[in-house]
Amino acid sequence: MDFLGFFPETIDFLWGIRFNNNREWFQEHKGDYETYLYRPMKALAAAVAAEFDGVEGNKLHLSRIYRDMRMHPTTFYKDSLWFCLRRPGDTWLEQPGLCFEIRPEGYRYGFLLARPKASQMEAFRLRISDHKAKFLSLVEQAEQESGLRLGGDRY
């Protein structure tokens, strides 16, 4: 299955699930979910993963639309879908990975380290501080070449 893009109906479905987060609405629109959201996301995830076929040990994780009712008893479905390609490890949240997410408001993508261990962050901070000029130069170069502003959460 080749990734051919998402559809305008993809965003319509995501807004629909946000405002109609119930089983009846989802069952009526399950075909839309499969056609406009799940299959294109699965194809995109496979296309990204294929670019890293030569890298041993990568894991691809595609999120589910269904929420865990133990943690979210009032909303049955997520109003977003995402995938992450990462290295193996204890938990995917502690491993860096390439991610893509689509929500009603749009999409976002990038490199993610969701819940790094304190030791990982300390080693990262030390490495940057030891090479601050080089790091800032790389950031500036990446922003100029991509036209995007690099950013992230502050710690």
Side-chain angles (χ1 to χ4, degrees), residues 41-42 44-50 52 57-64 81-89 91-102 108-115:
M41 181 64 84
K42 191 173 178 181
L44 176 60
V48 170
F52 294 89
N58 278 336
K59 289 185 172 186
L60 180 63
H61 181 78
L62 180 60
S63 70
R64 301 171 3 131
L81 207 62
W82 55 264
F83 74 83
C84 187
L85 181 66
R86 65 167 177 89
R87 304 293 294 158
T91 172
W92 72 270
L93 293 170
E94 294 176 352
Q95 300 299 317
L98 298 173
C99 297
F100 177 87
E101 178 184 35
I102 190 164
R108 62 184 180 161
Y109 60 92
F111 179 79
L112 174 69
L113 184 53
R115 288 192 199 141

Side-chain angles (χ1 to χ4, degrees), residues 20-31:
N20 302 283
N21 202 304
N22 61 69
R23 181 172 165 70
E24 295 76 27
W25 188 92
F26 184 78
Q27 289 303 313
E28 288 175 24
H29 295 87
K30 192 169 184 176

Side-chain angles (χ1 to χ4, degrees), residues 63-131:
S63 70
R64 301 171 3 131
I65 193 82
Y66 305 99
R67 288 201 183 272
D68 184 334
M69 294 313 296
R70 295 170 297 174
M71 294 182 231
H72 306 278
T74 60
T75 56
F76 301 100
Y77 306 96
K78 299 174 189 169
D79 60 4
S80 69
L81 207 62
W82 55 264
F83 74 83
C84 187
L85 181 66
R86 65 167 177 89
R87 304 293 294 158
D90 294 338
T91 172
W92 72 270
L93 293 170
E94 294 176 352
Q95 300 299 317
L98 298 173
C99 297
F100 177 87
E101 178 184 35
I102 190 164
R103 310 177 64 77
E105 298 84 4
Y107 64 91
R108 62 184 180 161
Y109 60 92
F111 179 79
L112 174 69
L113 184 53
R115 288 192 199 141
K117 294 179 180 175
S119 60
Q120 287 175 304
M121 289 309 298
E122 185 59 25
F124 183 64
R125 284 186 203 96
L126 287 172
R127 191 160 185 185
I128 288 174
S129 67
D130 289 346
H131 306 289

